[in-house]
Amino acid sequence: MAAFENVFSFFGLSEWCDSGKQKALISLKSLKNEETAWWDIPFPSLDNLHKACASIPQSRDLTASLEDGFLYIRPSLRTVLDPITQPLSWMLDSALYLFTNTPWWILLPLFMLAVQWSARSWKITAFVVSCIIFYLATDHYSYAMQTLSIIFVCTVLCVVIGVPTGILMARSNTVQRMLIPILDMLQTLPTFVYLIPLIFIFKITEPKLYGLAIILYAIVPVIRLTDLGIRLVDKDVIEAANAYGMTKRQLLFNVQVPLAMPNIMAGVNQTIMMSLAMVVIASLVSAPGLGTLVLDGINNLRLGVGFMAGIGIVLLAIILDRVSKSALKRMNKTYHG
Amino acid sequence: MMTTTQSQKSSDVAISIRNLFKIFGDDPKSVLPQLHDGIDKADVQRKTGHVIGLNNINVDIQSGKITVIMGLSGSGKSTLIRHINRLIEPTAGEILLDGENILNLPDDKLRQLRQTRMSMVFQKFALLPHRTVLQNTMLAPMVRNEDKVKSEKEARYWLSRVELDGYEDAYPHQLSGGMQQRVGIARALTSNADFMLMDEAFSALDPLIRTSMQDLLLDLQEDLHKTIIFITHDLDEALKIADHLVVLKDGFVVQQGNPQHIILNPSDPYIEEFVSDINRARVLRVGSVMKPSKTTKKTAGSIDSKQSLEQLIAQADGDVKGIYAVTEKDKTVGHIEMTQVYKALVRYNLTTSRRAK
């Protein structure tokens, strides 16, 4: 052991090293004072250096100090974030209340109308209705509605925040350069990792906890595709708009956003699917819905419960995907034939 | 190199382009002094990595006339037309409109100029794909926030002038190329601007439709007398519609003037090569070959000065000797001998050089 002891003494740092020793715990091994063979020399990692020189911190001190640092700023983060995100809790609560307390015989026709209006396809409407009947028949209806209401709120917020952000990104290369690493991080960070700091900041019973986790995870595609869509708008059309003296505002609302709409809608479709993925995981932090059944299935090894909930989630995914995609397809048709 | 020739007559100059330079690259201003010393395009590119777009352009655009800027690809013609409404910023020079330099206009004035005084027609039509034909035609009044009912009426009128009645509610992708470009022209006319910039407007269309579009444009121009700046790479098209022809090569003006005059008096080997391929009988007009004096000899008939030599030969039924009186609005303005006609069909330089051998 103590592979690097000689290095520290060579630089005359022994004294500084020893000052870091708290209580000299003399182990049997250190008494033996073995020499390290040259082929056994380890990488000078924090832990290995610590063995030779007590003043150097161990790796676990690093993670501990990260935690301490986070705990230190937590109160101030809370005071800032809590009021800002409070509306999210209200929205989620009221959506959950609305979706679960409206009787099924009112919601079912409303869904039919909404689907028919956005997708304009009897096939899809019929599919949606039979799925809802399946939920009702198997008593998964209220769980599915909870999941749906969370997705609804989170997707709306993602669009409201994401589209303007994407527009800003498309207009300025600097903003794009700054945001891309953040978006990359949000997209690649394992979903469970989001939850940890959020648990620290908010109470686990607050709906905004899972709301934020879902929005952070699902907002990325709508931002990216808005940016891409606006940047891809035909340069000739932009030139024509400029030649006729459009203001920047007119250009944005009359040309860029409408022409980017197919891409933006593709982003919304992705966002919906990602919210669905996250809402299942968010059941770990008390998000209601089908995810809780899955969690129950895992925790208590109830295969049937988990399986049925899984099917429910798949059906929901298919419904959301088909409806949003056919709306997108319809839009493409009017524009480009 | 510059030969500003004849026929500027009394017509008013609407836009005057003076010493216009455009250089593409990292530091265009640094190349400018070298250009004044007369270095050529390839040299500049090799030595400094800058590309010359426009090199000392001086053109007067006459009010109510069609000025055609012709050149092959890379000659800078599209760059030039985009300077007139400042879609591209110049490196140096000025463009005077009503005595004011367009290049000095602040943003809001420039926008106003584009909204009210300049309209533009594009090679690739550049219609808004999500708007109907009618909405596309109403673009300019819509940008100016004008009354919707009035501008819709106007848009419908111009759509009917370009023979697109009944297509108002169609989307651009449902129309053929020629029809889309007619929407483009209707859009330009609905803006009611006195200047119309046409950037290779007919180049993307197939030949038959192109010819009919040229006729449509000439037809409209007869009533409207807009100041049109027309870009093309097609000499036949240029000769057909130009009142004033500007030939560009590598960013500078090789020759400009009356198109008939350019055919008969090419000032440069480049132009000579250009005009050598055209059908002279169809392009040359009686008025440009005639002698502007009345003849005392007996004439075989009379012909309008705007008719082509081909039409005269047809009228003479192949006769090679007769003399015809040339008229303009039923007034005799000169005479033309058939021998002159046949001589004009052959390039003058060609005949002299053969004789020299």
Side-chain angles (χ1 to χ4, degrees):
Chain A
M1 81 157 296
F4 301 102
E5 220 152 55
N6 297 335
V7 182
F8 285 104
S9 52
F10 177 80
F11 286 108
L13 289 169
S14 303
E15 218 168 284
W16 172 72
C17 283
D18 289 339
S19 71
K21 257 179 207 158
Q22 289 161 343
K23 279 173 227 157
L25 288 170
I26 301 166
S27 69
L28 206 65
K29 249 185 174 179
S30 68
L31 282 175
K32 272 201 224 157
N33 200 13
E34 299 168 68
E35 283 298 312
T36 313
W38 61 270
W39 59 82
D40 275 341
I41 290 184
F43 185 84
S45 68
L46 285 175
D47 280 354
N48 285 328
L49 287 174
H50 177 78
K51 279 179 199 160
C53 172
S55 286
I56 289 174
Q58 281 171 288
S59 286
R60 69 153 185 252
D61 295 329
L62 184 72
T63 50
S65 60
L66 264 178
E67 204 173 300
D68 288 342
F70 192 80
L71 286 176
Y72 179 72
I73 57 166
R74 189 177 78 133
S76 26
L77 260 181
R78 256 197 89 102
T79 35
V80 178
L81 287 180
D82 221 27
I84 296 177
T85 51
Q86 197 51 44
L88 179 59
S89 277
W90 297 334
M91 280 182 196
L92 284 166
D93 277 335
S94 36
L96 280 167
Y97 181 83
L98 202 71
F99 274 72
T100 46
N101 287 346
T102 313
W104 63 271
W105 44 268
I106 294 181
L107 267 187
L108 188 60
L110 279 182
F111 275 125
M112 271 176 70
L113 281 177
V115 171
Q116 182 61 26
W117 177 79
S118 58
R120 306 270 161 96
S121 150
W122 284 111
K123 267 190 201 163
I124 292 174
T125 308
F127 175 72
V128 171
V129 169
S130 49
C131 283
I132 294 174
I133 290 172
F134 169 80
Y135 289 133
L136 282 163
T138 56
D139 291 304
H140 281 72
Y141 174 75
S142 61
Y143 293 104
M145 284 306 113
Q146 285 167 345
T147 302
L148 197 63
S149 59
I150 295 171
I151 292 174
F152 177 74
V153 170
C154 291
T155 306
V156 168
L157 284 175
C158 281
V159 172
V160 168
I161 303 166
V163 172
T165 314
I167 290 171
L168 276 180
M169 247 174 108
R171 285 189 154 193
S172 148
N173 287 333
T174 328
V175 174
Q176 194 193 35
R177 266 199 301 277
M178 286 183 337
L179 280 183
I180 277 184
I182 299 176
L183 297 182
D184 286 343
M185 193 189 76
L186 287 176
Q187 222 167 11
T188 47
L189 213 60
T191 43
F192 292 103
V193 179
Y194 291 151
L195 297 175
I196 304 169
L198 289 173
I199 293 167
F200 271 88
I201 297 173
F202 304 112
K203 277 180 240 134
I204 198 150
T205 48
E206 287 175 301
K208 62 185 172 188
L209 169 56
Y210 59 80
L212 266 181
I214 295 168
I215 290 174
L216 281 177
Y217 182 65
I219 201 170
V220 181
V222 73
I223 297 181
R224 268 192 211 280
L225 281 157
T226 304
D227 172 43
L228 180 77
I230 288 184
R231 281 175 189 265
L232 283 184
V233 170
D234 189 354
K235 293 280 176 295
D236 293 327
V237 176
I238 303 266
E239 188 177 50
N242 279 327
Y244 282 92
M246 273 200 189
T247 59
K248 282 213 157 156
R249 210 187 146 77
Q250 287 175 323
L251 185 69
L252 182 68
F253 290 111
N254 293 315
V255 181
Q256 289 175 313
V257 169
L259 292 188
M261 210 34 121
N263 270 316
I264 296 176
M265 285 305 292
V268 172
N269 171 271
Q270 291 284 303
T271 290
I272 294 173
M273 302 318 287
M274 287 175 77
S275 325
L276 178 63
M278 194 64 182
V279 81
V280 175
I281 292 168
S283 62
L284 283 171
V285 287
S286 77
L290 293 166
T292 53
L293 296 180
V294 177
L295 198 65
D296 182 38
I298 295 170
N299 285 342
N300 305 321
L301 287 179
R302 292 196 209 161
L303 178 74
V305 173
F307 194 74
M308 280 299 282
I311 289 179
I313 290 166
V314 170
L315 286 180
L316 203 55
I318 296 175
I319 291 174
L320 291 170
D321 185 62
R322 291 301 133 84
V323 173
S324 57
K325 268 209 184 121
S326 61
L328 170 67
K329 209 162 138 194
R330 194 159 55 85
M331 200 175 291
N332 273 332
K333 222 171 194 167
T334 29
Y335 286 12
H336 308 293
Chain B
M1 278 302 182
M2 226 109 57
T3 48
T4 314
T5 39
Q6 62 142 222
S7 84
Q8 306 236 322
K9 286 181 194 163
S10 56
S11 51
D12 315 314
V13 173
I15 295 179
S16 169
I17 301 172
R18 292 277 160 267
N19 307 100
L20 190 72
F21 286 90
K22 175 67 188 178
I23 297 157
F24 297 100
D26 302 329
D27 186 14
K29 297 259 184 220
S30 70
V31 187
L32 212 50
Q34 300 180 39
L35 275 186
H36 288 301
D37 300 341
I39 186 172
D40 85 333
K41 188 172 177 163
D43 271 351
V44 171
Q45 195 159 0
R46 209 182 49 230
K47 281 187 190 155
T48 64
H50 288 68
V51 177
I52 297 177
L54 298 173
N55 189 349
N56 200 10
I57 304 283
N58 287 279
V59 176
D60 283 334
I61 288 156
Q62 286 142 39
S63 171
K65 294 280 162 71
I66 303 180
T67 301
V68 174
I69 298 166
M70 202 208 69
L72 301 178
S73 49
S75 62
K77 55 192 190 305
S78 286
T79 310
L80 178 55
I81 201 173
R82 277 168 178 70
H83 278 82
I84 294 169
N85 59 0
R86 242 175 84 189
L87 288 172
I88 297 180
E89 298 285 338
T91 307
E94 45 186 25
I95 294 174
L96 300 169
L97 167 68
D98 300 338
E100 202 176 2
N101 189 355
I102 293 177
L103 305 179
N104 288 338
L105 290 179
D107 279 358
D108 54 331
K109 283 272 172 61
L110 175 65
R111 198 176 302 127
Q112 207 180 4
L113 178 89
R114 289 173 178 174
Q115 284 177 0
T116 55
R117 301 209 56 191
M118 303 222 171
S119 58
M120 197 161 179
V121 183
F122 298 86
Q123 179 175 11
K124 289 178 192 149
F125 323 135
L127 303 172
L128 300 179
H130 62 297
R131 297 274 176 90
T132 63
V133 166
L134 184 67
Q135 289 167 333
N136 263 296
T137 312
M138 283 164 62
L139 178 71
M142 185 213 82
V143 171
R144 296 192 295 245
N145 288 321
E146 277 172 16
D147 176 52
K148 223 178 152 191
V149 180
K150 189 178 147 263
S151 44
E152 187 178 317
K153 207 175 131 199
E154 207 150 312
R156 281 181 194 281
Y157 169 74
W158 288 116
L159 279 173
S160 79
R161 279 300 298 267
V162 298
E163 293 157 20
L164 278 179
D165 326 64
Y167 289 95
E168 287 88 350
D169 296 324
Y171 283 91
H173 70 260
Q174 295 168 320
L175 306 183
S176 69
M179 286 159 100
Q180 288 190 38
Q181 193 58 299
R182 276 192 264 169
V183 178
I185 290 174
R187 173 171 74 176
L189 292 173
T190 307
S191 97
N192 250 327
D194 36 351
F195 295 98
M196 215 164 135
L197 310 178
M198 304 185 76
D199 179 26
E200 302 230 25
F202 306 146
S203 300
L205 308 173
D206 54 59
L208 276 179
I209 293 178
R210 196 185 309 168
T211 312
S212 76
M213 293 292 284
Q214 291 158 358
D215 294 336
L216 174 74
L217 179 69
L218 291 174
D219 237 35
L220 288 167
Q221 175 67 353
E222 208 144 289
D223 303 345
L224 302 174
H225 300 292
K226 300 254 181 206
T227 305
I228 298 176
I229 297 119
F230 192 101
I231 299 282
T232 182
H233 60 252
D234 177 354
L235 185 63
D236 288 312
E237 182 169 75
L239 295 173
K240 180 168 175 184
I241 63 177
D243 294 312
H244 183 79
L245 180 62
V246 180
V247 183
L248 276 187
K249 183 198 171 194
D250 289 349
F252 63 86
V253 176
V254 187
Q255 189 175 10
Q256 61 176 319
N258 181 305
Q260 301 277 313
H261 183 264
I262 290 179
I263 301 169
L264 293 169
N265 308 290
S267 72
D268 180 288
Y270 180 74
I271 308 269
E272 253 178 65
E273 204 183 312
F274 237 121
V275 298
S276 66
D277 280 341
I278 55 165
N279 181 345
R280 294 167 77 92
R282 193 168 295 166
V283 170
L284 284 175
R285 294 186 189 147
V286 171
S288 12
V289 182
M290 69 169 193
K291 289 188 176 133
S293 58
K294 286 185 186 169
T295 176
T296 49
K297 291 178 196 160
K298 192 173 178 291
T299 56
S302 71
I303 184 153
D304 190 89
S305 68
K306 286 216 176 97
Q307 299 288 334
S308 68
L309 297 186
E310 191 180 46
Q311 281 160 315
L312 177 57
I313 294 169
Q315 191 178 326
D317 201 18
D319 176 39
V320 290
K321 285 219 179 96
I323 299 173
Y324 283 79
V326 179
T327 59
E328 232 165 64
K329 288 176 190 150
D330 298 327
K331 262 178 68 183
T332 310
V333 291
H335 72 280
I336 187 165
E337 293 172 23
M338 286 312 287
T339 44
Q340 262 178 289
V341 172
Y342 289 105
K343 262 196 232 165
L345 293 183
V346 188
R347 269 189 300 152
Y348 188 68
N349 290 11
L350 200 66
T351 50
T352 45
S353 60
R354 287 228 176 111
R355 236 176 260 150
K357 275 180 195 169

